[in-house]
Amino acid sequence: MTDVIASQNFLTFFHTNSQSAVVGAINATFSGGAVFGSLMGGFTMDRLGRRKTIQMGAVIALVGAVLQCAAYNLAMMLVGRITAGWAIGLMSMSVPVYQAECAPPKIRGLIVGLTQQMIGVGFIVSTWIGYGCNHAPSTSSVQWRFPLAFQALPALVLFVGLLWMPESPRYLIETGQEQEGKRVLRILHYEASNDEWLQSEFLGIKMTIAEEKGVTVPGWLPMFRLEKWRTRLIHGTLVQVFTQLTGVNVINYYQTIMYDSLGFTGHRGVLVAALYNIVGPITNFFFIVFLLDRVGRRKPLLFGAAGITVALVCEAILNAVNPNGEKRGLSIAGVFFIFSVSVIFSLSFGPISWVYMSEIMPLSIRGRGNAFATGIGNWLVSTLFAQVSPIALNHIQWRYYFVFAAFNIVVTIPTIALYFKETKQLTLEEIDLLFDVQSGRQISVNEDVLERARERKRSLPTLEAGNVEAERRRLDDKSMKLRMEMLQEPNLKGARG
């Protein structure tokens, strides 16, 4: 919406201006719809699967695009924004899970990082379409109707393209479709000489499912009450909250207002916004291809929080000493630091927020856990800032940047440094070892523990069929005992349903 709210025809049509509560509501309703879309995904992913959930999101996005481009009053626009947000919320929580469950451990960061990469590509396409349409006469609604209508094209491509994509092998195995799950695993990971690894991976997934199913209670409450699940839910939610508190989405939504305060108005402001949206995806691509699966998750997050804080403080100072954007040198420096936020974000929170959230959730709550983390941690917080940001930028101006800088210093950096785990190149099942109650605040998996787990997994294909079944029965008995103990705990009574 960056370029749409810069359209004079759009503002005139809806009788508003770029810093009004109406514009805030148009952006906030999108984020609000995404909250409910994300939470809805917690139900559909477990019932319909990962692929159908994404396709459902694509269909809803198509409807939302039509409603927005055809809007003839504010109410219709808001309904269209809610519908489009609903779709994006649904897809933003399901796509990273689908990618994480299909990706091999060594390049999982790259694969899931493509989520942020394609978000960036979407920003590039939308911004340059918006820039071109902004040159239409101010009397023409093409300035904003065509950019909003264009959203329908990628939604259609996504829906059709998924017809040729397989379902997640972990979802198939969890729902009893073991042979199909095994076939998909082979399609995704076969390398001519890794049959033993494929078999051990298949059996390892089955063992994990057998262990988790025994302690699974229907409903959403157990993931808040069982400590090992609650901890992972908190991690997934916090990484999304911290991503929003970098302030990057405030820039994405309202950067043309920021450029106005620096003296870049009209077409020049829209052009600068278009250039800004190129910088992030280029940086993100470099990071996910060459660095993410080498340097891990924690270090880039710490670097990102510190770097963005410095950039925001510098931006606030430059705006304070250049209130009307009349000092050209300071204005250019201000644009530089806004661009710096995008670069640093793309080297840290941009891709890692999706990677870390999707990979730390255990299979039993992966759908519901990611739904909550995305819906509450990402979109609910985004809704708040989408509504208040244009008002804050108008009233407290450059001081608004200190809100984000202060949060990073006081909350984000200490939390990541003390509590976040390092998950690089671990399988989704090995990540479970990081969150054992006995692990406490351990940041990475003990090498001896990891090697024993891998040795056990390597030995699975050599077991005779009878021994495998005996092992599964042993796990079922153990899981049933844990389940009964859990249900007998006072704080878990009433958790069903």
Side-chain angles (χ1 to χ4, degrees):
M1 290 295 287
T2 298
D3 304 303
V4 170
I5 64 175
S7 162
Q8 188 55 52
N9 183 273
F10 177 84
L11 297 174
T12 302
F13 188 88
F14 290 104
H15 309 291
T16 187
N17 62 73
S18 61
Q19 294 180 321
S20 70
V22 171
V23 168
I26 289 172
N27 281 321
T29 49
F30 177 87
S31 299
V35 173
F36 295 101
S38 296
L39 296 176
M40 169 185 168
F43 295 99
T44 60
M45 284 186 70
D46 291 336
R47 288 166 173 77
L48 303 178
R50 286 41 167 160
R51 191 178 65 164
K52 288 182 180 178
T53 295
I54 299 170
Q55 286 183 304
M56 185 184 302
V59 172
I60 297 172
L62 186 63
V63 174
V66 171
L67 288 172
Q68 289 175 84
C69 76
Y72 60 87
N73 57 33
L74 181 60
M76 187 172 178
M77 173 59 72
L78 293 177
V79 171
R81 294 294 289 167
I82 292 171
T83 304
W86 188 288
I88 296 303
L90 190 58
M91 292 186 287
S92 66
M93 61 76 55
S94 55
V95 169
V97 171
Y98 178 72
Q99 292 170 314
E101 291 187 342
C102 291
K106 290 184 179 180
I107 59 168
R108 189 171 59 245
L110 166 62
I111 298 300
V112 184
L114 288 172
T115 298
Q116 184 63 30
Q117 184 63 34
M118 298 315 295
I119 290 173
V121 171
F123 272 118
I124 292 176
V125 173
S126 66
T127 304
W128 284 101
I129 288 175
Y131 177 69
C133 292
N134 194 255
H135 285 77
S138 60
T139 56
S140 173
S141 63
V142 169
Q143 281 191 344
W144 57 275
R145 291 192 189 276
F146 182 81
L148 292 174
F150 191 82
Q151 300 173 88
L153 179 59
L156 184 62
V157 171
L158 178 63
F159 178 84
V160 175
L162 277 169
L163 295 175
W164 284 274
M165 300 291 285
E167 179 56 270
S168 157
R170 284 172 171 82
Y171 173 78
L172 291 170
I173 296 169
E174 184 185 24
T175 54
Q177 304 173 67
E178 294 186 357
Q179 291 307 309
E180 179 64 12
K182 192 173 185 178
R183 186 185 72 83
V184 172
L185 268 177
R186 190 173 183 83
I187 290 173
L188 293 173
H189 304 301
Y190 182 64
E191 296 176 355
S193 59
N194 65 339
D195 289 289
E196 185 175 318
W197 181 88
L198 286 170
Q199 181 66 7
S200 65
E201 182 75 0
F202 171 69
L203 293 174
I205 293 171
K206 287 174 66 175
M207 292 293 186
T208 300
I209 291 170
E211 287 179 315
E212 291 186 356
K213 276 189 173 180
V215 295
T216 299
V217 179
W220 290 60
L221 288 180
M223 68 181 181
F224 297 100
R225 292 178 169 173
L226 251 181
E227 183 180 353
K228 63 179 181 179
W229 289 354
R230 182 174 64 245
T231 300
R232 295 164 86 157
L233 182 66
I234 290 171
H235 277 242
T237 305
L238 283 181
V239 75
Q240 293 295 326
V241 172
F242 295 163
T243 299
Q244 289 300 319
L245 266 297
T246 62
V248 73
N249 271 345
V250 174
I251 296 175
N252 288 338
Y253 286 146
Y254 302 114
Q255 58 181 301
T256 50
I257 298 175
M258 298 175 182
Y259 300 142
D260 280 344
S261 68
L262 292 169
F264 295 92
T265 60
H267 293 322
R268 285 201 307 162
V270 177
L271 176 60
V272 174
L275 295 173
Y276 167 91
N277 285 332
I278 293 176
V279 171
I282 292 174
T283 308
N284 185 85
F285 181 78
F286 169 81
F287 179 66
I288 64 174
V289 172
F290 298 107
L291 294 175
L292 178 52
D293 287 307
R294 296 182 181 181
V295 300
R297 312 332 184 207
R298 283 169 38 84
K299 291 178 181 178
L301 288 176
L302 289 170
F303 161 76
I308 289 172
T309 298
V310 172
L312 291 175
V313 170
C314 291
E315 182 68 26
I317 293 171
L318 288 169
N319 276 263
V321 299
N322 184 29
N324 299 315
E326 295 173 349
K327 300 175 182 178
R328 184 164 180 79
L330 294 180
S331 294
I332 292 173
V335 171
F336 169 79
F337 282 110
I338 291 176
F339 276 49
S340 296
V341 172
S342 178
V343 170
I344 298 168
F345 180 80
S346 299
L347 292 171
S348 55
F349 288 93
I352 292 177
S353 61
W354 302 115
V355 175
Y356 190 72
M357 176 194 71
S358 62
E359 66 188 2
I360 63 171
M361 298 292 181
L363 184 59
S364 293
I365 64 164
R366 192 164 291 150
R368 287 163 288 162
N370 279 278
F372 182 87
T374 306
I376 304 303
N378 183 64
W379 290 114
L380 186 60
V381 178
S382 176
T383 302
L384 170 65
F385 286 112
Q387 181 63 57
V388 305
S389 291
I391 302 169
L393 289 168
N394 186 37
H395 286 81
I396 63 175
Q397 300 173 345
W398 54 268
R399 299 171 186 84
Y400 190 45
Y401 297 117
F402 285 114
V403 172
F404 303 100
F407 189 91
N408 285 337
I409 293 170
V410 175
V411 180
T412 301
I413 293 175
T415 303
I416 294 172
L418 294 175
Y419 297 103
F420 274 34
K421 312 289 188 180
E422 184 51 70
T423 58
K424 67 173 181 178
Q425 298 193 0
L426 297 174
T427 69
L428 296 179
E429 287 68 41
E430 288 169 350
I431 290 173
D432 291 342
L433 300 172
L434 276 171
F435 291 92
D436 282 344
V437 176
Q438 296 88 343
S439 298
R441 281 168 51 181
Q442 184 175 311
I443 299 303
S444 57
V445 179
N446 180 280
E447 288 297 326
D448 291 337
V449 174
L450 182 60
E451 184 54 38
R452 286 198 297 271
R454 287 177 173 173
E455 182 61 36
R456 176 172 174 267
K457 182 177 174 181
R458 284 192 293 268
S459 70
L460 287 176
T462 64
L463 294 173
E464 295 180 1
N467 291 335
V468 171
E469 289 304 316
E471 174 71 359
R472 289 185 67 185
R473 284 195 298 272
R474 183 187 70 79
L475 289 172
D476 285 342
D477 291 342
K478 176 183 175 183
S479 296
M480 182 58 70
K481 182 179 178 181
L482 288 171
R483 178 184 174 89
M484 295 305 297
E485 290 175 355
M486 187 177 74
L487 290 174
Q488 288 170 4
E489 291 182 18
N491 68 337
L492 282 183
K493 288 181 179 179
R496 292 177 181 265

